[in-house]
Amino acid sequence: MFAKLLASQLSRAGIHYGWVMVALAFMSALCSSAATTLLGVLIVPITAEFGWTRGDVSAGIAAMFILIACVAPFAGALLLRYGLMRIVATSCSFAMIGLLLLTGAKAPWQLIAPTGILIGTAAGLVGLTLNATVASRWFVARRGLVVGILTAAFAAGQLTFLPLAAWLATNYGWRTAVLPALIGSGCCAVAFVLFGRNWPSDLNLAPYGQSQIVPPPLTSTAGAISVSFSTLREASAFPIFWVLAGTFFICGFSSSGIVQQHFIPFCADNNIGAVTAASYLGLMGMFNFAGTIVSGWLSDRVDNRALLLIYYALRGLSLIWLPFSDLSVVALSVWAIFFGLDYVATVPPTVRLAAQHFGSAKGPILFGWIFAAHQLGSAVAAYGSGVTRDSVLTYLPAFLAAGLACLIAASLFAAITLRRPPAAGARLREAKASRPLPVVRVYGNGRSQSHAEGGMNERQHE
């Protein structure tokens, strides 16, 4: 009821309801980012209170990323089958319970249950897959820009929550630092239930940039798991899928795995306080916000593979430079600005490439698998960086490994940019190996018709 009333008011003002869905997804991504980055702020105070190693706390972080990787491949199918409101509300509930349990942890293994299982599952249910789903369902025009805006929400989460969490942890104890993410998750769940809708046709609207109302798939004869795996089987025949998944592994390895979780402990090793270090992350998040939106705008206009080549190359160079800098205010500020512009700028062109090659229905499902690779990379970096730091008392090997991995990713996109591969649809017809996924669609006259969506969607939405 609330959504229909709001849609009616916005329609009279010439505003498409898709932008409301963008705002809701932005809020969800912001709160999810706040919950998943929280332990990066708490590593130092937790280890100081309990005498644990950084590897002990990093194990909980790694478990969280692994859970995200396990859930993310099915998030697109779950969103398709059960709807956005139910999945987002479930995600927020898991996050709130996990944050509350985190404050009661007394042993390292107890971090795994609240952080790894609950917060990891919560983030995996939405994550970047929700962004890709909202952009694909509600927008035909401006899709790259929308993905850029929603991806920038993760930067906004850092900008809004991390400095505040660090200040709370420093002045009132680390357990109080969970409050901003906890309250935000509750507000997000309520807003999505009241104003969220699954498809534009639920409000008798066409997607933004299109005049025809598109009937949504109401249900599927296959479950979410089988849909996800069957879509993966189709995509696995195409090298572009493996390039996107492999480079997104490196993206997670070089961003959320090491910088998001270990930048504050890295600064602590160099006598830089937690609040100051979190402020650098906030500065990084501010420029990341701008850089990701610009990346979304560019992905509508520039070859996405060339963009990814540039992004990974610049990120690699910045990670290699950081530990050799003098770590002064100027050096860290310059690095935060430079790295922030690039931090998650890789997401819009990656999402767009997935949609271009595999269609608006299956693209988000496949992006769930690609996002899973990202989270596995994050898990490897989060745990490996903590263990390496405990062993050699420096983060230098971890930053060098992340930087070199980014240069490898850049070289992969250099190779495929020089030789443009044939369209996914053409290769699919040549392979003749696609397995149709039966769905049921409901049309405006109330009739339902079963048909098979064979293979990957060959339409490219520019």
Side-chain angles (χ1 to χ4, degrees):
M1 180 178 70
F2 292 102
K4 290 183 178 180
L5 290 174
L6 181 58
S8 177
Q9 295 293 326
L10 292 176
S11 179
R12 283 195 283 269
I15 301 174
H16 194 276
Y17 199 80
W19 296 110
V20 175
M21 295 303 300
V22 169
L24 293 173
F26 187 98
M27 182 187 300
S28 174
L30 186 150
C31 295
S32 177
S33 172
T36 55
T37 58
L38 185 62
L39 269 186
V41 177
L42 304 183
I43 288 177
V44 174
I46 287 178
T47 54
E49 177 176 331
F50 295 109
W52 302 340
T53 67
R54 295 189 185 183
D56 291 333
V57 182
S58 297
I61 299 174
M64 175 186 70
F65 284 127
I66 291 172
L67 260 293
I68 296 174
C70 290
V71 175
F74 313 108
L78 288 170
L79 289 166
L80 182 65
R81 185 174 180 84
Y82 297 106
L84 275 61
M85 288 88 75
R86 291 180 181 177
I87 296 301
V88 171
T90 301
S91 170
C92 291
S93 299
F94 282 1
M96 293 172 69
I97 296 171
L99 289 169
L100 288 173
L101 291 177
L102 175 62
T103 62
K106 300 296 183 183
W109 65 267
Q110 291 177 340
L111 292 177
I112 295 176
T115 305
I117 297 175
L118 290 171
I119 297 178
T121 301
L125 284 172
V126 287
L128 297 180
T129 306
L130 176 65
N131 298 350
T133 300
V134 169
S136 298
R137 292 185 185 184
W138 287 82
F139 291 84
V140 174
R142 304 291 187 269
R143 182 178 292 167
L145 176 62
V146 169
V147 173
I149 292 172
L150 294 181
T151 305
F154 288 91
Q158 289 184 345
L159 178 65
T160 305
F161 288 99
L162 282 188
L164 176 59
W167 181 80
L168 287 171
T170 301
N171 292 281
Y172 298 101
W174 65 266
R175 291 172 180 82
T176 63
V178 308
L179 290 175
L182 183 70
I183 296 171
S185 295
C187 294
C188 177
V190 173
F192 230 104
V193 169
L194 292 179
F195 298 104
R197 283 298 178 266
N198 296 319
W199 298 87
S201 58
D202 293 345
L203 298 173
N204 200 32
L205 294 173
Y208 182 90
Q210 184 171 315
S211 58
Q212 182 180 1
I213 296 176
V214 179
L218 179 65
T219 186
S220 171
T221 59
I225 294 177
S226 61
V227 168
S228 295
F229 277 110
S230 61
T231 306
L232 174 64
R233 282 196 298 271
E234 292 182 39
S236 62
F238 307 126
I240 186 63
F241 170 75
W242 295 108
V243 170
L244 293 176
T247 53
F248 227 45
F249 176 96
I250 294 172
C251 180
F253 187 92
S254 59
S255 59
S256 55
I258 182 170
V259 174
Q260 193 179 76
Q261 304 297 339
H262 288 281
F263 178 76
I264 293 177
F266 166 75
C267 287
D269 287 348
N270 292 277
N271 300 315
I272 300 171
V275 176
T276 302
S279 298
Y280 287 121
L281 287 180
L283 178 64
M284 186 182 79
M286 183 186 303
F287 281 88
N288 184 19
F289 188 88
T292 306
I293 293 177
V294 171
S295 177
W297 182 82
L298 287 172
S299 70
D300 288 328
R301 294 164 174 79
V302 180
D303 187 335
N304 291 178
R305 297 160 304 158
L307 288 176
L308 290 169
L309 187 162
I310 295 170
Y311 295 158
Y312 281 113
L314 292 177
R315 181 186 297 184
L317 294 175
S318 68
L319 287 170
I320 293 172
W321 175 80
L322 175 62
F324 293 104
S325 69
D326 60 6
L327 300 179
S328 64
V329 173
V330 173
L332 286 175
S333 298
V334 170
W335 177 84
I337 293 171
F338 185 84
F339 191 84
L341 290 170
D342 186 272
Y343 184 59
V344 289
T346 56
V347 176
T350 302
V351 171
R352 190 165 177 79
L353 282 174
Q356 286 175 348
H357 282 272
F358 304 114
S360 61
K362 293 178 181 177
I365 296 176
L366 281 174
F367 186 74
W369 288 102
I370 295 169
F371 184 56
H374 183 283
Q375 299 308 298
L376 288 176
S378 299
V380 171
Y383 184 65
S385 298
V387 171
T388 301
R389 170 21 183 101
D390 289 336
S391 300
V392 298
L393 302 180
T394 177
Y395 280 107
L396 177 61
F399 278 104
L400 291 179
L404 291 174
C406 287
L407 297 181
I408 293 173
S411 68
L412 288 174
F413 282 109
I416 66 173
T417 301
L418 293 174
R419 178 182 177 275
R420 187 179 184 90
R427 285 178 289 155
L428 183 62
R429 288 192 296 271
E430 293 171 3
K432 297 181 180 179
S434 68
R435 299 183 64 183
L437 300 178
V439 298
V440 177
R441 294 187 182 276
V442 176
Y443 295 89
N445 57 9
R447 295 184 298 106
S448 62
Q449 176 179 342
S450 298
H451 70 282
E453 277 189 352
M456 296 299 168
N457 191 324
E458 297 174 20
R459 292 175 298 173
Q460 297 186 4
H461 299 284
E462 298 294 341

